[in-house]
Amino acid sequence: MPHSDVLVIGAGLAGLVVAREAVRAGRTVTIVDQEPAASFGGQAWWSFGGVFLVDSPEQRRFGIRDSLELARDDWFRTAGFDDAGDEWGRQWAEAYLQFAAGEARPWLHGLGVRFFPVIGHAERGDGTRGNSVPRFHIVWGSGPGVVAPFTRAVRDGVDAGLVTIRMRHRVDALTVDGGRVTGARGAVLAPDVAVRGESSSRDVVGEFALTADHVVVATGGTGGALASVARDWPERLGAMPTAPLVGVPAHVDGRGLDVAEAAGASVVHRDRMWHYTEGLANWDPVWPHHGIRILPGPSSLWVDSVGDRLPAPLYPGFDTLSTLEHLRHGGHEHSWFVLTSTILRKEIALSGSEQNPDFSDRSLRLVLDRIRNGSVGVQGFLHHGEDVVVAPDLDALLDGMRALEPGLDADRVRRAVAQRDRGIDAPGTDPQIVAIERARELVGERIIRTAPPHRLTDEGHAPMVAFRLRTVTRKSLGGILTDLDSRVLSARADGTTGPIPGLYAVGEAAGFGGGGVHGYRSLEGTFLGGCLHSGLRAGRAIVREARVS
């Protein structure tokens, strides 16, 4: 039976970070994944590439005053950790904050990762939770740029005879001997030519069994499996949408959580999840029900499915989960952004490496074109998207919106537009306009992210645009319970927990650390960051243990 020092289950970012640390120490590594080789690198490859960092040189260069203390206050207020059951989540949060304010940037910089100079302000919040300052550092090269140094390290490990990669190997169970996890077994799936992200076959052509001294579960969350999302959907979010879009490939199915749980792992907080309300149906889908999230600036008017303006502070880009709760408790299957072409060019971006060729291809020319003319990815949706209306004035826009959704009340939308526009005429009277003006106090926001305040009906900013928005599934915030070495913990008969020898979990499978480093809510940039951090801690712990033994 093939044996290696480390068996990594899942070829995504977190697993590759573990593999790199092991290879650097001369350890042998086997990586298995159920998908074809085209999907090597996992979900991180699809991301925009945002990483949560604290008090970085990029922040200081633009006059953004951040600190570990401020970030800690933002994180813990936003997370809403429970008094009981979140002990490890709290410890992982503190560890990640220390990482984000200390080692993270120089470590990544040493690997060749560079950041775009302007920092994004995701999850702006309302002062009671959210990011007090911009912390969303966009990697130059987007998601593929984050994955690349770890892919290179693994490929070098293959060339050195230290790494074996077995794609199309689906783990069905962990093997346990004397209380220690010693390997995994499962099915060999038929070869498949599916491109990255496409659904691949589940035809079985064989079986396999592998042994290792250390086994790492790095299989991601459940966002691609709507049945699992529905099973775990919490009442506090209202009813699950009847037809949500899906923001991750179908292979993000939660199998690794179930496999680990069957071996004794504690899987916690399955009802904590992170889904977006700004989803568009992808006009060029890669996987079933493929949804793309708008990354909005703060200026668009946001109305619900009948046309009422969302209440303060539920403005674009401010509070993801509260917006989801508001819409779902109101029974709204969709909502709308109403904006001008000026706002479109300045503020509307799309999530995903494939939607941002300027960043993904590291093209300064295309970035300058984005600043002048808007996102290239957005242009595709304007021409082909089923959720977009473009019109010369408000009356024509409402006709187009009602053609898509006859239940929309045009008069309610008119009242919402008029209310917002009065804030332009009477400064300080509309909280959203005040928030826009506050955002523009930062140089980076003025350059690339937030348009000058103006009336939506101003002909000088025409045509008008409306986006029909739907919920798009994305992340699991809960997962396998782990300690600060990423060792998987199991519940004991006396109510305590203890590590399962030989078993580790990283990335989304571990709730990005401790079964839920985010608590109930994320500050964004912490998903890639959490994969990097948890994978690094696991890899270092494995190397330490191997040296001792």
Side-chain angles (χ1 to χ4, degrees):
M1 187 180 301
H3 181 86
S4 56
D5 296 325
V6 183
L7 172 61
V8 178
I9 305 171
L13 176 60
L16 298 183
V17 175
V18 176
R20 176 183 179 272
E21 289 301 303
V23 168
R24 290 180 67 230
R27 305 298 169 180
T28 57
V29 179
T30 298
I31 300 172
V32 298
D33 196 289
Q34 66 182 351
E35 292 308 299
S39 289
F40 197 80
Q43 290 183 69
W45 189 93
W46 292 100
S47 75
F48 194 12
V51 179
F52 179 103
L53 298 176
V54 176
D55 193 23
S56 69
E58 290 78 14
Q59 287 174 304
R60 293 192 293 271
R61 194 173 297 126
F62 276 89
I64 298 168
R65 301 179 63 182
D66 198 8
S67 67
L68 175 60
E69 293 74 23
L70 180 61
R72 180 185 294 117
D73 186 57
D74 286 349
W75 189 299
F76 280 82
R77 283 189 295 105
T78 301
F81 289 119
D82 291 333
D83 291 338
D86 273 324
E87 294 84 358
W88 284 111
R90 286 191 188 87
Q91 291 186 49
W92 271 90
E94 179 61 33
Y96 181 81
L97 288 162
Q98 297 281 348
F99 175 69
E103 179 185 9
R105 187 187 179 283
W107 174 63
L108 289 170
H109 201 269
L111 294 173
V113 175
R114 298 294 183 267
F115 294 97
F116 189 66
V118 179
I119 315 303
H121 198 173
E123 289 296 294
R124 298 167 188 253
D126 63 350
T128 62
R129 56 177 171 246
N131 282 301
S132 299
V133 298
R135 298 190 176 103
F136 192 80
H137 293 66
I138 301 168
V139 170
W140 192 229
S142 68
V146 181
V147 176
F150 304 100
T151 300
R152 285 195 299 269
V154 168
R155 299 297 185 192
D156 289 346
V158 172
D159 294 341
L162 293 173
V163 177
T164 301
I165 300 173
R166 297 174 181 263
M167 305 302 286
R168 303 299 282 160
H169 282 56
R170 184 189 70 201
V171 170
D172 295 326
L174 302 177
T175 53
V176 182
D177 184 7
R180 183 181 183 90
V181 171
T182 58
R185 55 183 173 80
V188 179
L189 304 180
D192 198 301
V193 295
V195 301
R196 183 184 294 274
E198 280 188 342
S199 298
S200 60
S201 82
R202 292 295 178 259
D203 296 338
V204 175
V205 297
E207 298 178 346
F208 75 91
L210 300 168
T211 62
D213 299 327
H214 311 275
V215 178
V216 184
V217 178
T219 51
T222 63
L226 289 180
S228 296
V229 174
R231 178 197 65 199
D232 299 331
W233 188 277
E235 290 184 8
R236 66 179 177 275
L237 294 181
M240 180 174 167
T242 58
L245 300 171
V246 180
V248 292
H251 64 255
V252 185
D253 56 12
R255 284 183 58 86
L257 303 181
D258 297 334
V259 167
E261 193 169 42
S266 292
V267 178
V268 297
H269 309 314
R270 285 183 182 263
D271 65 334
R272 298 183 188 177
M273 49 188 68
W274 191 254
H275 308 307
Y276 297 107
T277 52
E278 310 100 326
L280 304 175
N282 193 347
W283 63 271
D284 187 20
V286 179
W287 53 80
H289 314 294
H290 188 172
I292 297 292
R293 184 208 174 192
I294 291 178
L295 301 173
S299 299
S300 298
L301 173 68
W302 202 340
V303 298
D304 62 27
S305 61
V306 297
D308 290 331
R309 188 181 187 185
L310 270 59
L314 304 185
Y315 309 129
F318 273 65
D319 191 332
T320 293
L321 217 58
S322 291
T323 306
L324 178 61
E325 292 171 354
H326 174 82
L327 292 171
R328 296 311 309 138
H329 281 291
H332 301 290
E333 290 291 322
H334 65 274
S335 60
W336 295 90
F337 281 166
V338 177
L339 56 148
T340 65
S341 59
T342 300
I343 296 172
L344 177 82
R345 288 192 299 271
K346 193 81 164 183
E347 299 192 12
I348 299 299
L350 300 173
S351 180
S353 56
E354 83 286 9
Q355 300 295 333
N356 296 278
D358 46 354
F359 287 96
S360 298
D361 296 341
R362 300 180 173 92
S363 171
L364 286 173
R365 179 183 62 82
L366 290 178
V367 169
L368 292 174
D369 186 64
R370 174 197 286 255
I371 294 172
R372 290 190 296 264
N373 301 312
S375 163
V376 173
V378 171
Q379 296 303 314
F381 281 82
L382 292 178
H383 290 105
H384 306 291
E386 66 184 65
D387 298 310
V388 187
V389 180
V390 181
D393 55 41
L394 181 57
D395 288 339
L397 188 77
L398 290 169
D399 288 342
M401 294 167 70
R402 283 178 52 79
L404 289 179
E405 296 292 346
L408 181 74
D409 187 326
D411 288 336
R412 293 189 185 198
V413 179
R414 286 192 182 93
R415 286 195 294 270
V417 169
Q419 181 193 49
R420 180 199 176 279
D421 283 358
R422 282 196 297 272
I424 302 295
D425 301 328
T429 61
D430 186 276
Q432 182 176 6
I433 304 304
V434 172
I436 295 167
E437 292 169 340
R438 184 176 299 124
R440 285 179 56 80
E441 293 173 0
L442 294 173
V443 175
E445 293 279 329
R446 293 198 301 274
I447 293 174
I448 201 170
R449 196 59 178 137
T450 304
H454 59 273
R455 303 173 84 248
L456 296 177
T457 52
D458 188 332
E459 293 180 359
H461 298 279
M464 295 188 71
V465 182
F467 290 105
R468 178 178 59 179
L469 310 172
R470 288 178 271 177
T471 301
V472 56
T473 65
R474 190 62 66 86
K475 298 295 183 188
S476 306
L477 296 188
I480 299 167
L481 189 65
T482 58
D483 66 11
L484 287 176
D485 284 333
S486 292
R487 297 183 301 176
V488 172
L489 301 176
S490 179
R492 293 169 171 164
D494 62 0
T496 62
T497 59
I500 299 175
L503 186 60
Y504 300 77
V506 294
E508 190 174 355
F512 304 95
V517 68
H518 300 100
Y520 287 91
R521 298 168 186 268
S522 165
L523 290 176
E524 291 286 8
T526 53
F527 301 130
L528 285 182
C531 288
L532 294 165
H533 179 233
S534 60
L536 186 61
R537 294 187 79 92
R540 289 173 174 174
I542 288 169
V543 170
R544 285 198 306 271
E545 182 178 331
R547 285 172 177 163
V548 170
S549 61

